[in-house]
Amino acid sequence: DTGVSQDPRHKITKRGQNVTFRCDPISEHNRLYWYRQTLGQGPEFLTYFQNEAQLEKSRLLSDRFSAERPKGSFSTLEIQRTEQGDSAMYLCASSFSAGAETQYFGPGTRLLVL
Amino acid sequence: AQTVTQSQPEMSVQEAETVTLSCTYDTSENNYYLFWYKQPPSRQMILVIRQEAYKQQNATENRFSVNFQKAAKSFSLKISDSQLGDTAMYFCAPQGFSARQLTFGSGTQLTVLP
């Protein structure tokens, strides 16, 4: 079991550029979540998928953010026209939808927008 | 909607001693789960323990146990025989049956002193 993986682990970009992050969930997990964590705070929910369907999006997810999960496997999170306020750790978690649905987290992608 | 309050931003404990981290929450859901996660420095989020709200018995996982008071909406974490490796940020997070995302508190930074 390789766990949840995220790529890249670190990303530095200039304001106005687009960035894309990838998350590979645990293979048998059908749910995939994206969270954002700023320094010294707890993670905040962004969006989640069940299989390939995006079931919920937070109000935090502005129009500049888009997420996909083609074929219900890996997921990508794209941020267009990045702003300095987008600087944060982006966490991915996956789970299997049954009972106490424990979410397992990846190592995160740390984004710095200059 | 769910809210979480962790009123202790920082705590310290001597190695081998016992420490309790507090958490109160509010939720509009009748059925839900509660989780404690830990996040060591520069490392990923790890599940510590979980509690089903419909169960009266408090969950226990080795040195970790909870004191769940449903009426008071309180969910504290007790760590016995503290070890240096327990040093981390600890987050309390409820999860509703209908809204499956985790809602995290602001965390408690626990430092175990040698």
Side-chain angles (χ1 to χ4, degrees), chain A residues 59-76:
Chain A
R59 287 170 295 178
L60 293 175
L61 211 66
S62 76
D63 291 344
R64 297 184 297 106
F65 287 70
S66 63
E68 295 182 342
R69 193 183 182 198
K71 301 180 182 178
S73 55
F74 69 92
S75 176
T76 58

Side-chain angles (χ1 to χ4, degrees), chain A residues 4 9 31 33 35 37 40-45 48 56 91 98-108, chain B residues 33 35 37 39 42-47 50 52 54 89 91 95 97-107:
Chain A
V4 179
R9 296 289 305 277
R31 285 190 176 159
Y33 296 79
Y35 295 86
Q37 185 179 24
Q41 299 298 315
E44 296 174 297
F45 168 74
Y48 93 91
E56 191 165 344
L91 298 172
E101 182 195 326
T102 300
Q103 294 180 27
Y104 296 88
F105 284 80
Chain B
Y33 300 104
F35 296 84
Y37 281 87
Q39 189 175 38
S42 300
R43 295 184 63 185
Q44 65 197 72
M45 198 80 74
I46 302 167
L47 174 69
R50 73 180 184 210
E52 289 85 351
Y54 57 85
M89 183 74 91
F91 293 100
Q95 178 192 56
F97 272 41
S98 60
R100 303 303 293 186
Q101 65 269 27
L102 295 165
T103 301
F104 288 88
S106 55

Side-chain angles (χ1 to χ4, degrees), chain A residues 26-37:
Chain A
I26 293 171
S27 59
E28 64 268 25
H29 285 181
N30 60 342
R31 285 190 176 159
L32 187 149
Y33 296 79
W34 286 99
Y35 295 86
R36 180 172 68 187
Q37 185 179 24

Side-chain angles (χ1 to χ4, degrees), chain B residues 46-113:
Chain B
I46 302 167
L47 174 69
V48 175
I49 196 166
R50 73 180 184 210
Q51 172 80 43
E52 289 85 351
Y54 57 85
K55 289 187 178 179
Q56 292 186 337
Q57 185 174 5
N58 289 324
T60 299
E61 192 72 42
N62 300 318
R63 299 183 294 108
F64 299 89
S65 61
V66 299
N67 183 5
F68 174 46
Q69 302 291 328
K70 190 172 183 178
K73 294 185 177 176
S74 170
F75 183 60
S76 61
L77 175 69
K78 185 171 83 170
I79 306 174
S80 305
D81 185 27
S82 297
Q83 300 176 0
L84 296 178
D86 294 333
T87 292
M89 183 74 91
Y90 285 79
F91 293 100
C92 170
Q95 178 192 56
F97 272 41
S98 60
R100 303 303 293 186
Q101 65 269 27
L102 295 165
T103 301
F104 288 88
S106 55
T108 295
Q109 175 62 51
L110 176 68
T111 302
V112 180
L113 304 170

Side-chain angles (χ1 to χ4, degrees), chain A residues 3 5 8 11 14-15 18-19 23 26 29 45 47 53-54 65 74 79 83 89 104-105:
Chain A
S5 61
K11 179 71 176 179
K14 293 182 179 179
R15 189 176 54 186
N18 299 343
V19 294
C23 171
I26 293 171
H29 285 181
F45 168 74
T47 188
Q54 189 172 18
F65 287 70
F74 69 92
I79 309 174
E83 301 173 356
M89 175 77 86
Y104 296 88
F105 284 80

